[in-house]
Amino acid sequence: MQNKISIAIECLGLIGLIYGYARKNRNLMLASALVLWFGGSLNDFIRGFIAGYKGV
């Protein structure tokens, strides 16, 4: 389930980057780049959070 969400977020970020580049909208490109980064690191973030929660 997490993998599907991560892939969907990455696709949205990539589409946003392409759309922002075509429209020359830097703010949209910045937001899309952050979404793309978050989508790529989502699985690692969740694993680290669970490991930290179990370690406490």
Side-chain angles (χ1 to χ4, degrees):
M1 180 70 176
Q2 296 170 358
N3 195 20
K4 291 180 183 179
I5 293 172
S6 178
I7 291 172
I9 291 173
E10 288 177 13
C11 288
L12 287 175
L14 185 61
I15 290 169
L17 276 176
I18 293 169
Y19 183 74
Y21 184 76
R23 297 288 181 181
K24 295 183 176 136
N25 188 346
R26 290 183 182 178
N27 292 332
L28 181 61
M29 287 174 48
L30 174 63
S32 298
L34 292 174
V35 167
L36 188 61
W37 172 77
F38 180 72
S41 63
L42 183 64
N43 288 334
D44 293 333
F45 176 76
I46 291 173
R47 284 186 201 138
F49 183 80
I50 291 172
Y53 184 75
K54 288 181 180 179
V56 172

